[in-house]
Amino acid sequence: MSFRNKTIVLTGASAGIGRMLATSLSQQGANLVLAARNPEALEQTITACTNYSGKVIAVPTDVTQAEACQQLIERAIATFGQIDILINNAGIGMLTRFDEVTDISIFEQVMQVNYLGAVYCTHYALPYLKASQGQLVAISSICGKTGVPTRTGYVASKHAMQGFFDTLRIELHSTGVDVLVVSPGFVATDIRQRALGADGKPLGKSPRDETQGNMSVDECVRQIMWAMERRKREHIMTLKGKVIPWAKLIVPGFVDRIVAATIRKTTST
């Protein structure tokens, strides 16, 4: 599949994976509708895309609000007349042990952004994706495959995303709409610095040793686009991520220990 002249709606486009995806898709001639909460950061993404042939618009959007997601899709149709791909990339992290949480509302916040935001955007875009026999893309995580210490809320939101899109894929089987769930591992973005801590506020500093085991954003985006081009149903980016679902069936306790050890190894003290 070529991205040239395709209309692509991309949430979480203001930084990290989203910004690099926008730039890479723009290079290939896609028409982009970029969404995020921060208008100034969105404008920086647009600036990074202006040297290429595709048209790009920014629509400041809070994906936790269903009405805002509806307006995002309506703006895409008003501007380009169609939607070929929706990439649900908006996300927020959470990093704290459950027994240390003092602001329980962080679970609602994380679920609203990571899961319900994808549900809202998908709901309003789906009629147009059916018309174009387009593609739904969910940027999930290996955390959608297994439990990970200090990430209860984040893991729950990614499990919800995985289950939703796996089910939707079955429902859309005869419509021509393909559903891709992408599961990266640790990627070199600032998501952990922005993650919510026990008190519900952004940490400001990653508790993880960011010098260890991170995939580059460039490589992550390359793999996402590779999977999109082939209209795959799922793409897990790491060997560990591919092994874990099978290992959990046979030696679930061993998987728990490996995951816990990995987090301890990569977390600063």
Side-chain angles (χ1 to χ4, degrees):
M1 181 181 70
S2 169
F3 298 116
R4 182 166 297 279
N5 297 322
K6 299 292 185 183
T7 298
I8 302 175
V9 179
L10 170 62
T11 67
S14 60
I17 293 171
R19 177 173 291 177
M20 183 60 68
L21 257 177
T23 305
S24 299
L25 290 166
S26 182
Q27 288 175 348
Q28 296 204 17
N31 297 318
L32 302 179
V33 182
L34 305 180
R37 285 180 294 183
N38 187 322
E40 292 78 13
L42 269 181
E43 287 301 323
Q44 293 174 12
T45 302
I46 284 187
T47 299
C49 297
T50 52
N51 294 327
Y52 309 110
S53 59
K55 298 178 181 177
V56 186
I57 64 168
V59 184
T61 305
D62 180 352
V63 297
T64 68
Q65 304 300 313
E67 297 83 358
C69 296
Q70 181 178 15
Q71 292 169 7
L72 167 66
I73 299 305
E74 290 175 349
R75 179 75 181 279
I77 294 300
T79 304
F80 296 110
Q82 67 184 53
I83 297 174
D84 298 291
I85 302 172
L86 167 63
I87 305 175
N88 291 291
N89 173 68
I92 188 171
M94 167 191 165
L95 284 170
T96 181
R97 286 175 54 95
F98 182 71
D99 57 11
E100 295 175 351
V101 170
T102 58
D103 182 357
I104 198 68
S105 72
I106 60 177
F107 283 84
E108 183 177 356
Q109 295 178 57
V110 171
M111 193 64 77
Q112 285 178 334
V113 175
N114 295 355
Y115 171 58
L116 289 176
V119 172
Y120 297 153
C121 290
T122 298
H123 174 75
Y124 292 112
L126 190 53
Y128 305 106
L129 291 169
K130 286 182 177 179
S132 65
Q133 294 192 324
Q135 187 178 33
L136 275 164
V137 181
I139 308 301
S140 183
S141 166
I142 290 176
C143 289
K145 302 292 187 183
T146 192
V148 180
T150 72
R151 291 161 171 82
T152 48
Y154 183 75
V155 167
S157 70
K158 293 302 184 178
H159 272 66
M161 176 183 267
Q162 181 83 50
F164 172 77
F165 284 103
D166 281 349
T167 303
L168 189 58
R169 184 187 298 112
I170 300 169
E171 293 183 355
L172 297 175
H173 175 68
S174 61
T175 66
V177 178
D178 289 317
V179 178
L180 166 64
V181 178
V182 179
S183 300
F186 290 115
V187 181
T189 70
D190 65 351
I191 188 170
R192 285 167 292 280
Q193 289 92 318
R194 294 184 290 107
L196 302 179
D199 60 357
K201 299 177 182 178
L203 292 174
K205 179 181 179 181
S206 173
R208 170 183 160 83
D209 183 351
E210 296 289 348
T211 66
Q212 295 190 41
N214 287 352
M215 177 182 287
S216 71
V217 176
D218 286 353
E219 175 59 18
C220 180
V221 167
R222 186 195 69 78
Q223 291 196 34
I224 293 170
M225 292 179 63
W226 177 88
M228 289 171 59
E229 288 169 346
R230 288 154 181 80
R231 295 181 76 109
K232 291 172 66 67
R233 59 180 286 138
E234 187 163 53
H235 181 59
I236 302 172
M237 291 193 181
T238 67
L239 177 60
K240 185 178 292 185
K242 294 173 182 176
V243 170
I244 280 175
W246 297 99
K248 284 177 69 176
L249 297 174
I250 304 168
V251 284
F254 176 72
V255 172
D256 289 350
R257 292 192 295 274
I258 290 297
V259 172
T262 299
I263 295 301
R264 285 196 299 269
K265 179 180 177 181
T266 57
T267 299
S268 58
T269 57

